[in-house]
Amino acid sequence: MNKLIIIAASFLLTTSCKTPEVPKSEPKEATTTIQEIKEKDHTTFVSNQRPKNVIFLIGDGMGLTQITAGSIAKKTPLVLEKFRQIGLVKTYSTKLITDSAAGATAMATGSKTYNGAISMDIHQNKLKTIVEYAEEANWLTGIVTTATVTHATPACFYGHQPTRSRVNQKLAAEFMTKNIEVLMGGGWNYFKKGLDGRDLIAEAQEKGYFVTDDIEQVGDYRPEKMICLISPKLPPRIKERGNYLPLAAKKAIDILSYPKSNFFLMIEGAQIDWGGHQNQSDYIVEEMLDFDRTIQEAFDFAEKDGNTLVLVTADHETGGYSINGGSAKDGKVEGKFTSDYHTATMVPIFAYGPGAESFTGIMENTEIFYKLKYLMNIDSLKPASD
Ligand SMILES: [Zn+2]
């Protein structure tokens, strides 16, 4: 019966719209399990609406409890409560419990891989990322994070390294080979004291980037390309970094939307995960509320624009977090943790805008890539990386 429905669905898709072709030669690294996922991906598209722009927000370590904690603390509805298309995502990598590198690789490239891989497959071949596809199709692109810009999640959207550790300078150098318009996060030192003694800050300026270390000083100025590196290495907590993330999101949207071409923007709330690792409810709540203000910037733009898909999801849950007490009236959360690492629990995905209904139901994290690639109409581009 299920098979019949799938056949009928693919028939409908082939007759009613341009169906993405199943790749003729499958990548040699694919295992049976991964292969099945890929074929399923191509039969689960339900939307023919294609967005002009995509804003993809990743709350690192943001499980359902983290979201609940944010909503209790805020006392008024989270922006996420305006999203009507909601699904659940299976986050496992080649291990049951993923890390952020394999999690981001799955969403950025459509392939499950080993923990620690920066957009490399299980045989350490490069996997082409959604940002690389987008660039090839002349979309403007941007990456914004509250980690270093060379941290696992943002790096998986532009870089390719067999391991995530001790490759900050290599990733910064890789970034320089791309044509990504906006990059914001921490990691000034990895550019200033770059690979082989290079000064990538100077190189970026030569390539036409406006480079700064302070988002607030940018004000209304709208450069065509911008790199903002707010800290030498890892960015600090809110107390020190202030309103950086919502401001960075707003500026990135401002820069990318101005020329009226298509744009793809990835924004990461990285430190929700760090609160989970430290088993600190207060840290999680603080980061959730910051992320909520950031989602607001994306939502407000999308609502006005009417042609932008906003996706909000997580790479995994962190902490095995639960809420065992507190007060809704006082906005107080009493959290408990079962782990100081990630867990295998599914994470929610929220979608708004054209194509949003494609993200309902239960899906593999790899499906997000295939759905995006289809919705962005870049399915005909070749999967081979440079
Ligand atoms: Zn983590």
Side-chain angles (χ1 to χ4, degrees):
M1 188 63 192
N2 274 345
K3 220 175 191 176
L4 268 178
I5 291 168
I6 288 167
I7 291 164
S10 28
F11 176 73
L12 271 176
L13 275 168
T14 28
T15 49
S16 62
C17 65
K18 268 192 207 161
T19 309
E21 283 176 20
V22 175
K24 284 182 189 88
S25 60
E26 289 301 329
K28 56 181 181 296
E29 76 274 14
T31 66
T32 311
T33 324
I34 293 167
Q35 185 54 39
E36 281 164 7
I37 292 162
K38 284 186 176 177
E39 283 178 5
K40 187 167 147 263
D41 296 336
H42 286 278
T43 59
T44 53
F45 299 118
V46 289
S47 176
N48 293 330
Q49 276 192 294
R50 288 194 157 118
K52 182 169 165 285
N53 315 307
V54 176
I55 306 177
F56 185 22
L57 294 114
I58 301 175
D60 202 304
M62 188 185 72
L64 208 43
T65 315
Q66 283 78 356
I67 294 169
T68 312
S71 101
I72 294 170
K74 191 180 174 190
K75 296 201 266 185
T76 54
L78 293 172
V79 184
L80 283 178
E81 294 176 46
K82 292 184 185 165
F83 289 64
R84 284 288 165 267
Q85 316 295 338
I86 301 169
L88 291 170
V89 182
K90 297 179 184 179
T91 66
Y92 65 91
S93 60
T94 53
K95 288 237 171 75
L96 178 65
I97 295 176
T98 189
D99 79 329
S100 291
T105 297
M107 295 189 283
T109 73
S111 291
K112 300 257 184 189
T113 188
Y114 60 94
N115 290 351
I118 303 289
S119 289
M120 296 282 244
D121 69 16
I122 54 171
H123 301 299
Q124 303 197 342
N125 299 311
K126 286 182 184 180
L127 293 161
K128 189 164 162 182
T129 76
I130 193 80
V131 165
E132 290 171 313
Y133 277 101
E135 283 286 331
E136 195 180 318
N138 293 317
W139 284 49
L140 302 180
T141 55
I143 291 167
V144 172
T145 178
T146 46
T148 51
V149 295
T150 51
H151 218 252
T153 308
C156 286
F157 283 81
Y158 65 85
H160 306 274
Q161 295 293 333
T163 166
R164 63 183 283 175
S165 49
R166 291 184 294 276
V167 288
N168 291 300
Q169 289 170 313
K170 282 187 185 167
L171 284 164
E174 263 199 283
F175 174 83
M176 294 302 295
T177 68
K178 310 288 168 189
N179 197 19
I180 296 164
E181 281 73 18
V182 174
L183 183 70
M184 302 189 193
W188 179 277
N189 287 6
Y190 307 131
F191 285 74
K192 189 69 191 167
K193 299 163 199 163
L195 202 62
D196 306 322
R198 284 163 64 189
D199 177 355
L200 301 184
I201 299 287
E203 286 184 29
Q205 285 164 333
E206 273 161 39
K207 278 186 80 175
Y209 283 98
F210 171 72
V211 184
T212 178
D213 61 358
D214 187 353
I215 189 76
E216 290 190 38
Q217 278 188 356
V218 182
D220 289 338
Y221 178 53
R222 187 199 303 115
E224 274 177 35
K225 299 201 289 180
M226 174 167 161
I227 295 177
C228 175
L229 299 168
I230 61 165
S231 51
K233 290 179 180 175
L234 289 176
R237 283 176 69 164
I238 304 261
K239 206 167 73 173
E240 275 181 68
R241 74 168 198 263
N243 206 31
Y244 152 75
L245 189 62
L247 274 177
K250 193 175 186 184
K251 182 52 69 182
I253 292 168
D254 183 36
I255 292 172
L256 296 174
S257 63
Y258 185 68
K260 309 281 177 217
S261 7
N262 307 75
F263 75 82
F264 176 94
L265 171 63
M266 194 289 288
I267 302 172
E268 185 200 20
Q271 298 193 27
I272 301 163
D273 175 64
W274 305 357
H277 281 289
Q278 293 179 26
N279 283 187
Q280 283 189 40
S281 259
D282 289 354
Y283 195 174
I284 290 173
V285 163
E286 177 182 295
E287 290 297 332
M288 272 308 308
L289 297 179
D290 185 58
F291 198 48
D292 184 63
R293 289 187 289 271
T294 308
I295 299 166
Q296 179 87 61
E297 295 294 343
F299 189 88
D300 287 351
F301 172 81
E303 199 176 33
K304 219 171 87 194
D305 177 67
N307 220 345
T308 299
L309 171 67
V310 181
L311 283 184
V312 186
T313 190
D315 47 357
H316 53 72
E317 193 274 344
T318 306
Y321 187 37
S322 67
I323 297 167
N324 301 59
S327 155
K329 192 170 123 278
D330 303 331
K332 267 181 68 181
V333 176
E334 280 167 28
K336 288 220 171 107
F337 298 84
T338 62
S339 167
D340 61 4
Y341 192 60
H342 311 153
T343 64
T345 187
M346 287 191 278
V347 294
I349 183 164
F350 302 81
Y352 173 85
E357 60 272 32
S358 303
F359 297 90
T360 56
I362 295 183
M363 70 201 82
E364 297 288 344
N365 52 4
T366 45
E367 284 180 60
I368 296 169
F369 166 81
Y370 286 101
K371 290 174 195 294
L372 276 177
K373 200 163 153 243
Y374 175 75
L375 291 169
M376 289 164 72
N377 204 9
I378 52 178
D379 228 62
S380 57
L381 299 179
K382 290 196 174 71
S385 208
D386 50 277

